[in-house]
Amino acid sequence: MAARDTLARNSARKALAQVQQAEKQSGFLYNGEIGLARWRSALAKALNGDALSTVCIYGSSSVVGQGAGGGGVAGLLTYGKNKLERGFVGRVRSAIAKQAGDVGSGIIPHWYTWWYTFTGTWVDSSVGGLLNIHSKRGEAVGSTVSVTFTGTSFSVVGIESAEGGKFTIAIDGGAPQEFNSNGSSEAAKEYKYNGTLTNASHTAVITVTELVAGKARSGFALIGVMYGGTSQTGVKVHQIGYAGGKTDQIATNRTTYKPTTVDFWKPDLSIICFSSNDYSGQTPLSTFRTQTQTAITQCKKFGDVLLVPVGITAADKEIPITEYSGIYKELAMINDCAFFDTYARYNDSFTFAKDVQQFIASDNTHMNDYGHQDLASGLYNAIFNN
């Protein structure tokens, strides 16, 4: 009996392996038919002009779009505003816009400091943010933050709480519109500028105008801004990355303030792109598995999940980076998620990715322009043509 049971289990495992191998599609996408079923529905509505679908891409500096040097070839990814366009997230966003219409930038977190100009008193605040990272609160009347953008609408994302305050938004020197972030909701909120903008370059200035009397610390707590494009329906892609980020940042819930990483956006598709910093810090595999599972469970409340290991480095640590990728694949199968096998796409070899494909920047950590374009092409194909 025991022998027959063992034979049956081995046969089942072999059959599962064959099915999983058969599901390997163009671009190394696994479990796409099942794992992206709800996303295909949201995408169909968006492409039909009936809805605005939301994609959140979570990760570390690879998602932010950082790169240093060209890996022996041309194509540098410099520090600056081009990160929103030249990293793989921005390239995916641009490709989607050609199909579904331009709906704008998605969130630009305040820690993308190359986008913002701060004056006055702005301090790190514990009242919520993205990826378990603080918001930035203006704690002095007259403190400002300005941003230049090209689009037809503008919104500020901040925290409404008992420690909030009043602020204004003025665009291109026009009359300021006043908003109040003081309230009892203790949650993230979108504050929309009410006005018609041409699809041209604009400068928005956010000014703190009033604090809460009797509070030791108060003021408007900024998470980020968004600008809109010319389309009202389509696919909005949020680039939610933090340099040095690990999986625990998306898995961690806030207890005092409503978490904004997932709950605020309610994404139709969450693309989780951690692993490289967990590898660098040698996060125990059991911890990595538990944290990733927590993140999957949170994201699947609202839509589908695509797991994408991003960042490939020379194998010089006790736990190989491919072990973290293997956990992504394992959890994708268990949770009916999709898995995009970037490491297999790079032949499971840092040397191949750097010297043959020429996708790795000279810091031997981040992708260069070519690598970002290749990942964007594969990811776009996975979510549009699965």
Side-chain angles (χ1 to χ4, degrees), residues 81 84-85 104-105 108 115 146-156 169-172 193 195-206 225-229:
K81 291 185 179 181
L84 281 181
E85 288 80 33
S105 67
I108 307 172
W115 195 269
S146 61
V147 57
T148 299
F149 66 97
T150 299
T152 57
S153 65
F154 183 78
S155 296
V156 174
I169 302 175
I171 295 185
D172 298 334
Y193 177 83
T196 302
L197 300 175
T198 59
N199 191 29
S201 178
H202 305 282
T203 297
V205 179
I206 304 161
V225 304
M226 297 186 292
Y227 62 85

Side-chain angles (χ1 to χ4, degrees), residues 12 47 61 96 114 127 136 185 195 217 263 307 311 316 354 382:
L47 292 176
S61 57
I96 290 176
W114 33 267
V127 294
K136 186 172 286 292
S185 65
R217 296 186 66 183
D263 294 43
L307 300 173
D316 58 357
K354 180 176 176 64

Side-chain angles (χ1 to χ4, degrees), residues 57 62-65 81-98 104-105 237-239 372-373 376 379-380:
I57 303 182
S62 294
V63 167
V64 177
K81 291 185 179 181
N82 71 345
K83 288 180 182 177
L84 281 181
E85 288 80 33
R86 301 298 290 174
F88 78 86
V89 180
R91 293 172 192 250
V92 168
R93 183 189 293 121
S94 297
I96 290 176
K98 293 179 181 179
S105 67
V237 180
H238 297 287
Q239 179 172 324
H372 277 279
Q373 181 56 60
L379 194 56
Y380 173 83

